[in-house]
Amino acid sequence: MFYLRKCKLLLVFLLLPAFIFAALLTATPSERPQEITLAAARDLAPGEKDPYYISSVAMVWESLIATDNNGKIRGVLAESWQPNENYTIWKFRLQQGVRFQDGEAFDADAVVQNFKRWENMGYRASSFYGFLLARVYPGYVGIRKTGPYEVELLFSTPQPMLIYRMINFSSSMFSPKCFDVKTGDFTGYAVGTGPFMIVDRKAGQYVLLQRFAGYHGAVAKSEFIRLVNMPNAATRFSALKAEEIQGVLDIGAMTPSLLLALQRDPRFAVSANRNTINQYLTINQSHWPFSDPRMIRAISLLMDRTAIVKYYFNQQSQPTVNILNFCNPFYKDLPIEHDVPEAIRLAHDVMGDQVYPAIFLIPQYGLSRYSYKEVAEYLQAVFQIIHIQARILILDSATHARYMETGNYDFSIGTHGLANYAPESFMEGYMASWGSNNMLYKIGYHNDGADGIFKELPDVLNMNRRRHFYADLQDMAALAPPVIPIDSDYNVVVYNQRQLSGYQATTYGITLDQIERQ
Amino acid sequence: MKTYLWQRLLLFVPTLLGMTLLTFLLGVVSPADPAMVVMTMDGMSAPSAEELLLKRHEMGLDQSYAMQYVSWMAGVLHGRWGVSFIDGKDVLGTLLAALPVTLSVTSMAIFWVIFFSIPLGAVMAVYYLQWPDRLLLLLSMALTSVPVFWLAIIAMQVLCENLRIFPTSGYGSLRNLLLPGLILGVGTIGAVMRLQRDALLAVLADNYILTARAKGLPFFYIIYKHGLRNSFITVVTMLGNYISGLLGGAAIIEMIFSLPGLGTLVLAAVQARDYPIIQGYVLMVGCMTIFVNMGVDVLYVLLKPQLRLEGRRDYDCR
């Protein structure tokens, strides 16, 4: 006993972990048993400096104009709109009786304040969509209030496609009390008019949403939803299996291989919907042999898109040869072409029997979201048929961008989404000789027909004529692609069907207001 | 002792300056243009040349490299560590928000290291060359060799997914830290086990241990009171180095367990070429490493009183 008394520290050392374990391994019951926890691969609420504070997925804010799942334009906070005859003034009539979550009224003054914020804040980066007023609203001159629920947007040049530009993120509305109009920063939690409001947030960890009882539409079915940030796909998978979370959402919610594993477990269900992202193969067309359009066509014909979608995207996308995403209302359905003999013939006409060593880039961000490595290896194999020996390089995003900027590549696989539904805002970037993507990534694409249309488009006010032009551009891009489309993505989400109901994927997000615990 | 600490503190300044300069140079020679990274981070936008020029000016990238470095260092000395290129947030605030998470995970790892490796190392020394020693030696080698990310995935599947003992992710309670801390510390546990074994064996061979045994003191008491304490000096010296390693190694663990610590922050910053965050991280972790090593030195002297006496003797001689 004497010696044991001398060893008090040893006893403490042995007993302390026992106490800690006893306390820790007794899980504390949740404060809100009905709370739903969902996980995303990125922080859905980046906070004060982000132009939107929180993703539209969270349904905290609403926009003036949005789209439904069929790509149809619909007014949300804007009830109706009317342009003048030359499309330089757009009059918007606003919904009445709508209130922000802080009790402030949504009216013309609120809309004016939101536009003033954009005027002052300059370019704002965001992991959702970067915002620059001049880019989203080209030719913007100002806004004026013409009634308590009526505003007019003024432009220096005709803007016939304005409402297609204003969808979703581009016309998000916040309570003027929650932001600094001079800097554009949020001064606290973002306050919108949506069915959920933010009640708690830990940067980089989670955001807790509570149902907004004063919502102007049908109120949300669940009172509390927690959106947590889990960057690692394997962790999201384990958290789903351990039932710590009830579902996953947002871009790259689950990799195709993990999705297959989850589909074998009867507890989980998958929901998919078309989204605005396309997968593309960018080819540096500024040098031989790819400067010859026959070579680009050969590569396009060589790809078996249906097999790529079947084997590498787990059928969670749709093969396409159209540069424009299928969500766009001006999208034209084009037949999928796969003709290996013709591809070989075209390539032989250009290259003869020469062997061309090529550099194939994969951006690292894509590896955790898509099966880019497998797709690249498949393409590497089929390119050998036309004597192209591609060397695959996996690069971090910044280095990848640098390689592309300097034209130090032959192929690069990547995604591109639609920030809005005006087709030229996407197509001009790639198809016009002066297009920003075309120039920035040294694609070297030149098409006189496309250049002519893009020069003419700003003056075309007739919507039918524009529709024809958009169709022509899609045909031109299919025949002589600036980038080779592979597939149009689906927004794929997984949830625990024994615990949740009403969980459906939408174009951008899920039916958050419809989900509830079983 | 005081003179020694002052000397260490003075060395601290050129070390930090060198570190910041190296970090800055890394930013300079790295391939990407931060303005471009910021303006294309949504994967949708392609900025025009004018927009890029404006952004470069706004970010101060149109200044000479020397000016950029000097203005950054001047800001650091005034507590302004700059703003993140990506989200525009204050660097110091962002780092300070993430620091407690990394410190918690690292502390938990150190707790596990001490909790497992000291007693197991002692057992190995006591049963030297017998089967417990051989078995634990094998275990220690396995622990040192196993890749942390693999172990994390396996542990997550077994302990979180199947047995549901620990949560898979998140931060907020000690329960969230137990498993990440253990996984982070596993390699160090293996190394310290062997270190403790060898250190204790050396102490047990000393004459005063033989004297204690001859006096009839119980063996466990001799080990606890005389053996372990004297063998700690070697372990504590090395623990300083291990802590620096743990701080760096925390990045992958934080990523896997979705812990919003410095590691997660800097990994994202490296991906996005967010130089202000990377520079701030190097500065902060560099300071921490230097302070940890200084703390170890102090502990070393406290554990070995004759060092203090020797120091005083030296002083008296002078």
Side-chain angles (χ1 to χ4, degrees):
Chain A
M1 268 324 277
F2 168 79
Y3 293 111
L4 278 178
R5 275 203 304 275
K6 287 268 186 183
C7 302
K8 279 178 197 151
L9 195 65
L10 178 69
L11 287 175
V12 171
F13 184 79
L14 293 173
L15 287 175
L16 185 72
F19 283 123
I20 293 173
F21 266 98
L24 294 179
L25 297 182
T26 318
T28 45
S30 168
E31 281 174 49
R32 307 177 201 91
Q34 286 304 102
E35 183 181 296
I36 292 167
T37 307
L38 309 174
R42 58 179 169 174
D43 188 3
L44 290 175
E48 291 79 9
K49 299 281 181 180
D50 189 89
Y52 323 99
Y53 192 102
I54 187 166
S55 168
S56 65
V57 168
M59 294 187 174
V60 168
W61 52 263
E62 292 176 304
S63 52
L64 291 173
I65 293 167
T67 52
D68 62 19
N69 283 333
N70 299 314
K72 206 172 162 220
I73 302 286
R74 64 185 178 98
V76 181
L77 293 174
E79 193 179 72
S80 60
W81 48 87
Q82 185 64 49
N84 66 350
E85 59 184 27
N86 65 352
Y87 294 91
T88 52
I89 300 173
W90 282 79
K91 179 176 279 190
F92 289 88
R93 196 159 291 117
L94 308 173
Q95 294 270 12
Q96 295 188 29
V98 176
R99 291 205 163 266
F100 288 105
Q101 292 136 8
D102 59 2
E104 289 289 300
F106 170 76
D107 53 18
D109 291 321
V111 177
V112 170
Q113 286 301 300
N114 274 277
F115 271 81
K116 296 284 173 207
R117 171 182 173 241
W118 295 335
E119 285 173 24
N120 295 332
M121 78 180 185
Y123 179 80
R124 271 297 165 94
S126 170
S127 54
F128 311 120
Y129 296 98
F131 192 98
L132 179 68
L133 185 66
R135 198 188 288 169
V136 181
Y137 295 84
Y140 172 85
V141 174
I143 183 169
R144 67 178 173 223
K145 175 183 169 186
T146 51
Y149 292 97
E150 213 172 76
V151 291
E152 276 183 354
L153 290 179
L154 315 172
F155 297 91
S156 57
T157 51
Q159 295 301 325
M161 300 301 287
L162 182 70
I163 55 162
Y164 294 95
R165 288 183 173 278
M166 285 179 70
I167 57 167
N168 306 329
F169 282 90
S170 304
S171 60
S172 51
M173 290 288 121
F174 298 94
S175 167
K177 284 197 169 168
C178 78
F179 59 77
D180 181 340
V181 76
K182 286 188 180 133
T183 62
D185 293 349
F186 287 93
T187 50
Y189 293 149
V191 177
T193 57
F196 288 102
M197 54 189 185
I198 303 171
V199 286
D200 191 15
R201 171 183 169 264
K202 279 263 162 64
Q205 295 183 50
Y206 67 83
V207 59
L208 180 64
L209 307 173
Q210 186 177 10
R211 176 169 59 205
F212 174 39
Y215 181 55
H216 59 94
V219 292
K221 290 186 176 168
S222 292
E223 182 158 16
F224 288 102
I225 295 180
R226 190 181 294 264
L227 303 177
V228 297
N229 176 25
M230 282 189 197
N232 190 288
T235 313
R236 293 195 295 279
F237 176 86
S238 292
L240 265 176
K241 298 273 268 185
E243 299 187 356
E244 285 170 28
I245 58 172
Q246 288 76 52
V248 291
L249 74 169
D250 201 39
I251 294 171
M254 200 52 72
T255 56
S257 56
L258 292 175
L259 189 72
L260 272 174
L262 283 172
Q263 281 176 313
R264 286 194 282 269
D265 188 330
R267 286 176 296 167
F268 302 107
V270 174
S271 172
N273 203 318
R274 300 190 306 176
N275 79 11
T276 58
I277 290 172
N278 269 16
Q279 318 278 352
Y280 297 100
L281 181 72
T282 305
I283 303 177
N284 185 345
Q285 303 181 31
S286 59
H287 57 72
W288 188 88
F290 307 116
S291 50
D292 191 318
R294 287 176 295 175
M295 205 57 202
I296 308 298
R297 176 113 183 103
I299 288 167
S300 183
L301 289 172
L302 200 60
M303 272 185 200
D304 187 351
R305 294 172 172 84
T306 312
I308 291 175
V309 165
K310 184 179 175 189
Y311 297 113
Y312 306 125
F313 288 94
N314 192 25
Q315 300 284 24
Q316 301 298 346
S317 64
Q318 187 175 301
T320 186
V321 291
N322 193 335
I323 188 174
L324 202 59
N325 179 274
F326 54 13
C327 288
N328 194 287
F330 300 94
Y331 169 79
K332 183 180 176 183
D333 209 4
L334 298 168
I336 305 294
E337 291 178 298
H338 174 54
D339 187 344
V340 179
E342 177 65 4
I344 293 171
R345 190 190 66 76
L346 286 169
H348 189 264
D349 286 352
V350 178
M351 292 173 63
D353 290 324
Q354 286 191 63
V355 174
Y356 179 78
I359 297 175
F360 194 130
L361 308 183
I362 307 179
Q364 206 170 30
Y365 73 85
L367 294 179
S368 57
R369 295 180 190 168
Y370 308 105
S371 311
Y372 274 177
K373 192 164 167 279
E374 292 79 2
V375 176
E377 282 167 356
Y378 158 77
L379 293 174
Q380 185 185 40
V382 296
F383 287 167
Q384 289 194 11
I385 301 172
I386 53 170
H387 305 301
I388 292 172
Q389 288 189 337
R391 185 164 61 97
I392 296 173
L393 288 181
I394 299 172
L395 303 172
D396 70 275
S397 308
T399 314
H400 174 260
R402 186 68 179 166
Y403 266 65
M404 291 194 73
E405 270 172 62
T406 50
N408 186 14
Y409 73 104
D410 293 290
F411 303 103
S412 172
I413 190 167
T415 57
H416 201 127
L418 296 177
N420 65 63
Y421 281 179
E424 64 268 39
S425 67
F426 171 79
M427 295 174 96
E428 191 171 353
Y430 283 105
M431 292 184 74
S433 300
W434 57 86
S436 52
N437 288 299
N438 191 8
M439 289 173 72
L440 189 65
Y441 301 130
K442 306 284 182 289
I443 296 174
Y445 184 74
H446 182 79
N447 185 323
D448 287 331
D451 283 356
I453 291 180
F454 288 119
K455 277 179 189 156
E456 206 176 331
L457 261 181
D459 301 320
V460 179
L461 303 182
N462 180 297
M463 198 46 80
N464 280 332
R465 199 151 163 244
R466 290 190 84 92
R467 204 173 283 276
H468 279 299
F469 275 145
Y470 295 144
D472 288 347
L473 285 169
Q474 289 171 70
D475 288 333
M476 280 179 202
L479 207 62
V483 283
I484 298 183
I486 302 171
D487 63 311
S488 293
D489 230 13
Y490 287 159
N491 174 23
V492 185
V493 295
V494 192
Y495 64 100
N496 189 321
Q497 59 183 341
R498 289 186 186 161
Q499 295 183 330
L500 294 184
S501 63
Y503 200 101
Q504 292 299 316
T506 59
T507 304
Y508 195 98
I510 58 162
T511 49
L512 200 70
D513 55 341
Q514 298 299 310
I515 62 173
E516 57 184 327
R517 270 192 181 268
Q518 303 260 32
Chain B
M1 184 73 186
K2 271 184 191 168
T3 320
Y4 173 74
L5 280 178
W6 275 113
Q7 279 172 349
R8 293 300 299 263
L9 272 172
L10 281 173
L11 269 174
F12 183 61
V13 179
T15 313
L16 269 184
L17 272 174
M19 259 183 347
T20 55
L21 195 64
L22 273 177
T23 320
F24 184 80
L25 287 175
L26 273 178
V28 170
V29 296
S30 75
D33 174 5
M36 172 68 81
V37 172
V38 170
M39 297 199 80
T40 54
M41 68 179 279
D42 58 3
M44 315 285 170
S45 320
S48 64
E50 296 78 40
E51 285 171 3
L52 261 177
L53 272 177
L54 259 172
K55 196 71 197 173
R56 286 184 63 79
H57 177 71
E58 188 191 314
M59 293 164 84
L61 296 170
D62 53 353
Q63 293 178 340
S64 67
Y65 290 132
M67 273 307 293
Q68 285 181 45
Y69 179 70
V70 168
S71 59
W72 176 69
M73 277 305 291
V76 166
L77 293 174
H78 289 91
R80 299 186 308 269
W81 289 30
V83 290
S84 159
F85 283 166
I86 303 302
D87 58 19
K89 286 178 190 160
D90 173 56
V91 169
L92 186 58
T94 309
L95 290 169
L96 286 177
L99 180 64
V101 182
T102 302
L103 287 183
S104 312
V105 185
T106 313
S107 305
M108 186 52 79
I110 294 163
F111 168 77
W112 284 122
V113 170
I114 293 169
F115 181 67
F116 281 119
S117 53
I118 304 293
L120 291 178
V123 170
M124 285 163 86
V126 170
Y127 292 97
Y128 180 59
L129 293 182
Q130 294 172 49
W131 70 265
D133 178 37
R134 292 184 194 283
L135 197 74
L136 288 171
L137 204 60
L138 206 67
L139 176 74
S140 76
M141 279 192 282
L143 291 178
T144 322
S145 322
V146 72
V148 165
F149 69 88
W150 176 83
L151 192 67
I153 291 167
I154 297 296
M156 195 181 275
Q157 180 162 352
V158 176
L159 300 173
C160 309
E161 222 177 287
N162 300 343
L163 300 174
R164 299 192 189 178
I165 297 173
F166 299 103
T168 56
S169 54
Y171 177 72
S173 71
L174 268 175
R175 199 164 169 259
N176 292 100
L177 296 172
L178 278 175
L179 190 59
L182 181 61
I183 305 289
L184 179 61
V186 153
T188 314
I189 290 172
V192 176
M193 269 168 76
R194 271 177 287 163
L195 199 68
Q196 176 62 38
R197 169 188 181 259
D198 294 345
L200 191 56
L201 277 174
V203 172
L204 289 181
D206 280 344
N207 284 337
Y208 63 86
I209 299 290
L210 192 68
T211 312
R213 294 193 78 167
K215 283 163 79 180
L217 290 173
F219 189 61
F220 89 91
Y221 185 76
I222 296 171
I223 296 285
Y224 172 72
K225 204 74 184 176
H226 302 289
L228 280 177
R229 185 166 175 161
N230 286 304
S231 67
F232 277 163
I233 295 159
T234 323
V235 177
V236 165
T237 313
M238 289 310 288
L239 214 54
N241 293 341
Y242 288 136
I243 289 170
S244 312
L246 288 174
L247 277 170
I252 189 82
I253 292 298
E254 286 175 12
M255 196 60 141
I256 292 173
F257 289 93
S258 302
L259 294 164
L262 287 174
T264 310
L265 188 72
V266 80
L267 279 178
V270 167
Q271 278 259 326
R273 293 290 195 274
D274 195 348
Y275 300 138
I277 292 280
I278 299 170
Q279 286 163 341
Y281 171 82
V282 171
L283 195 62
M284 187 171 266
V285 173
C287 292
M288 277 159 60
T289 308
I290 289 167
F291 277 120
V292 164
N293 284 324
M294 279 175 68
V296 168
D297 287 346
V298 173
L299 210 61
Y300 189 70
V301 174
L302 290 176
L303 280 171
K304 200 166 183 179
Q306 69 248 50
L307 284 179
R308 266 175 291 170
L309 293 173
E310 277 167 14
R312 209 172 296 158
R313 227 176 286 138
D314 289 347
Y315 182 78
D316 290 345
C317 291
R318 269 179 276 150

